[in-house]
Amino acid sequence: METQKKPRVVRKNESITKTFLEACIHEAAENGRQGSSLRPQSWEKVIKTLKETHNFVVDQRQAKNRYDYTRYKYQAWCRLKNKTGNLYDASTNTFNLSEEEWKQEIQANPKAHPLKTSPLLFSDLCIQLYDGVTATDINSWGPTTKKKRNDHCQESEAYLFRSFS
């Protein structure tokens, strides 16, 4: 019996990526979160939105995996964007690092590897979706902290990569 390979979630299609992020933002706002993820009933709605909008069929596990992958990529993007030395080029949405600098960054944080070859898509949506979700200690920034919105990446930078070591 041959098993059919499931499609990769939102890998190359920017339109699907945008719909996915927007649906996740909507569900997080409407129904809250379960830990750092969405609630099971919210995943059902996100999956339904992808099917109705793009005829793109995925299961909850695939959607959650993509959510987590994008969150890790966003965290790596924040860390790199906040480093000194004008590494971030906003016009291309990429980072200006030498091969040696990329090697050091990826060694320190393997989750940064995808940023070497592909930019974080829809960073504004990622900020809305993930900002404050990963803060877990008493000194970290969180959703109830009263900070200006443009301070997003800097406030939780200390936490971002402790879990990746």
Side-chain angles (χ1 to χ4, degrees), residues 48-62:
K48 182 179 178 186
T49 299
L50 289 173
K51 181 168 177 24
E52 290 174 353
T53 308
H54 300 284
N55 198 28
F56 193 76
V57 178
V58 294
D59 61 28
Q60 182 175 332
R61 182 176 176 203
Q62 290 173 301

Side-chain angles (χ1 to χ4, degrees), residues 5-158:
K5 190 174 181 179
K6 295 178 183 176
R8 284 186 163 259
V9 179
V10 203
R11 194 59 176 206
K12 300 283 183 186
N13 188 315
E14 289 185 22
S15 178
I16 295 173
T17 300
K18 186 175 183 186
T19 300
F20 176 75
L21 291 171
E22 289 172 340
C24 288
I25 290 167
H26 176 78
E27 287 303 314
E30 288 289 314
N31 299 307
R33 300 176 194 271
Q34 185 171 329
S36 64
S37 186
L38 300 179
R39 298 182 180 283
Q41 65 270 24
S42 291
W43 284 122
E44 291 174 16
K45 292 177 183 176
V46 169
I47 291 165
K48 182 179 178 186
T49 299
L50 289 173
K51 181 168 177 24
E52 290 174 353
T53 308
H54 300 284
N55 198 28
F56 193 76
V57 178
V58 294
D59 61 28
Q60 182 175 332
R61 182 176 176 203
Q62 290 173 301
K64 170 105 173 57
N65 285 346
R66 190 57 184 185
Y67 177 94
D68 290 341
Y69 170 81
T70 306
R71 180 167 43 104
Y72 294 139
K73 191 171 180 178
Y74 167 71
Q75 291 168 340
W77 179 84
C78 281
R79 180 179 177 182
L80 280 170
K81 191 169 184 278
N82 287 318
K83 280 191 166 189
T84 58
N86 299 320
L87 300 176
Y88 182 67
D89 182 348
S91 66
T92 61
N93 192 26
T94 59
F95 294 94
N96 300 316
L97 278 78
S98 68
E99 274 303 312
E100 184 59 32
E101 290 169 322
W102 272 118
K103 184 178 177 183
Q104 290 172 357
E105 187 64 37
I106 292 167
Q107 186 173 18
N109 174 28
K111 300 291 184 183
H113 190 266
L115 291 170
K116 182 178 179 185
T117 57
S118 74
L120 177 70
L121 295 176
F122 306 106
S123 58
D124 57 332
L125 296 177
C126 289
I127 290 166
Q128 290 177 52
L129 181 58
Y130 301 116
D131 209 24
V133 175
T134 58
T136 61
D137 67 27
I138 190 107
N139 298 315
S140 294
W141 184 90
T144 59
T145 305
K146 292 180 177 145
K147 293 281 183 180
K148 290 184 271 180
R149 196 67 184 155
N150 62 359
D151 291 341
H152 57 87
C153 294
Q154 296 170 357
E155 297 304 321
S156 56
E157 185 180 44

